[in-house]
Amino acid sequence: MKPIYIDLRHLRTLLAIEETGSLSLAAERVCVTQSALSHQIKGLEDLYSLPLLERKTQPVRFTPAGTRLLKLAHRILPQVIEAELDVARLKEGEAGELRIAIECHTCFDWLMPAMDLFRQSWPLVELDIVSGFHTDPVGLLLSHRADWAVVSEVEPTPGINFQPLFSYEMVGICAKDHPLASKEIWEANDFKNETLITYPVSDDMLDVVRKVLEPANINPARRTSELTIAIVQLVASKRGIATLPYWAVLPYLQRGYVIAKKITPQGLTSELYAATRENMTDMAYIQDFFHTVQTQSFATLPGLSRLDIP
């Protein structure tokens, strides 16, 4: 029997297909086009002269041959990741400090699980969140009071590097018997006579205000709350309406507490980026933290999209 070669790229692809159950989502996960991913799988199937996937199923299922290679991926890839981290530690040193600044109230929902996962690989890196929500996290980087920041906009700044995390949809939420509950898509004018419940931040940090309401010269009454669950509770009791990330309100939608609506026909999307000082960007544990956060987010938060630096 002639030798057949399989590389790590193939194993990562198979793992992405298993985790997403979809060729298109797997292609996004490994950062290739769906066509390139299909070509990659076809090449493997030609080498083995066996099908690896049952493509007509939803989610995609593996054949016995594909299952065997998937088992290999589960065994090999963790060892590769561990070895790469060990080499990185040898180069950069195992100890370090990573202070994180955030400007969004919902960041904790996806950041904390990623931090827990990161600590397992870098136990000697001191990981901490700079207390409070910050309107100028880049300023904290420049003053060396933070090392890694989550920001919603890229403003080119000397000495600061930006990396795209993800984009996500913001949805409008209201009580199930609210008059707006029967409207499929909310426009700016729908907010005019409502009370808009938000986090206690400035208007330039609220995408619904900056992208939808201000251009239409609409300024509804306001009410604020620090906690997502408190905002949802206020909305459910018809004290007002709100706009929140889809992934943040999904658990409350599933329980029937409130209902969600699309904002404008195009949808209201928000973006998040990671910012670091340029002299720290290439440090191994900084890069691994970024990849851990991004990978964990795409694996656990529904409705995310890939993002490029504008």
Side-chain angles (χ1 to χ4, degrees):
M1 181 178 178
K2 66 178 182 180
I4 297 173
Y5 300 100
I6 185 169
D7 60 31
L8 295 177
R9 173 175 54 105
H10 296 130
L11 297 181
R12 292 188 176 106
T13 294
L14 294 174
L15 205 56
I17 293 172
E18 181 197 34
E19 291 173 349
T20 63
S22 160
L23 294 183
S24 60
L25 294 177
E28 284 190 12
R29 180 75 61 86
V30 297
C31 301
V32 299
T33 65
Q34 185 174 344
S35 175
L37 183 139
S38 297
H39 182 74
Q40 187 184 130
I41 295 297
K42 181 65 167 56
L44 265 183
E45 291 178 329
D46 289 344
L47 279 174
Y48 288 102
S49 298
L50 283 171
L52 302 181
L53 304 174
E54 296 177 10
R55 288 175 173 79
K56 294 184 179 180
T57 62
Q58 187 63 33
V60 174
R61 288 206 299 261
F62 287 83
T63 64
T67 300
R68 180 61 185 87
L69 293 181
L70 189 62
K71 184 178 179 181
L72 176 68
H74 279 291
R75 187 173 76 248
I76 294 297
L77 289 179
Q79 296 180 38
V80 171
I81 292 170
E82 184 179 359
E84 289 175 338
L85 287 174
D86 286 343
V87 172
R89 290 182 184 117
L90 290 172
K91 178 182 178 182
E92 301 289 343
E94 293 189 355
E97 186 176 32
L98 185 52
R99 297 162 297 171
I100 302 163
I102 57 178
E103 66 174 19
C104 62
H105 283 68
T106 55
C107 287
F108 285 113
D109 293 349
W110 49 267
L111 190 57
M112 296 303 289
M115 290 174 66
D116 290 340
L117 192 60
F118 176 81
R119 286 189 183 97
Q120 297 175 26
S121 299
W122 299 89
L124 298 183
V125 172
E126 186 177 342
L127 196 60
D128 195 14
I129 292 180
V130 181
S131 43
F133 297 97
H134 304 280
T135 58
D136 183 24
V138 171
L140 295 177
L141 296 176
L142 292 171
S143 62
H144 290 255
R145 288 179 290 164
D147 307 300
W148 198 88
V150 179
V151 299
S152 56
E153 289 188 273
V154 171
E155 296 182 7
T157 305
I160 299 297
N161 180 72
F162 294 91
Q163 291 178 286
L165 284 167
F166 51 79
S167 66
Y168 58 94
E169 184 178 9
M170 297 284 291
V171 294
I173 61 169
C174 65
K176 292 182 289 185
D177 57 348
H178 190 282
L180 286 175
S182 61
K183 190 169 184 181
E184 288 304 312
I185 298 175
W186 293 0
E187 302 279 6
N189 201 52
D190 293 316
F191 291 80
K192 187 174 182 179
N193 298 316
E194 301 293 337
T195 296
L196 179 62
I197 305 172
T198 71
Y199 298 110
V201 298
S202 61
D203 281 358
D204 60 0
M205 296 181 68
L206 296 171
D207 282 348
V208 68
V209 174
R210 187 164 50 88
K211 297 179 180 181
V212 178
L213 301 182
E214 281 187 351
N217 199 29
I218 290 174
N219 185 22
R222 305 291 184 87
R223 181 168 181 169
T224 63
S225 179
E226 288 276 359
L227 302 176
T228 301
I229 190 170
I231 291 176
V232 172
Q233 187 176 41
L234 288 169
V235 168
S237 59
K238 297 178 70 172
R239 305 294 180 85
I241 61 175
T243 63
L244 291 169
Y246 172 71
W247 46 263
V249 300
L250 183 59
Y252 307 107
L253 300 178
Q254 292 171 334
R255 295 185 182 98
Y257 294 163
V258 293
I259 60 174
K261 298 293 179 177
K262 189 173 184 177
I263 302 173
T264 76
Q266 299 76 31
L268 176 60
T269 58
S270 297
E271 301 81 30
L272 287 178
Y273 303 85
T276 54
R277 290 187 297 278
E278 286 182 347
N279 64 342
M280 293 188 70
T281 301
D282 293 331
M283 295 181 68
Y285 66 81
I286 294 287
Q287 280 298 305
D288 190 55
F289 184 69
F290 169 79
H291 290 299
T292 299
V293 168
Q294 191 180 61
T295 300
Q296 181 74 2
S297 298
F298 273 97
T300 58
L301 302 179
L304 301 190
S305 298
R306 297 273 171 192
L307 188 61
D308 296 319
I309 289 289

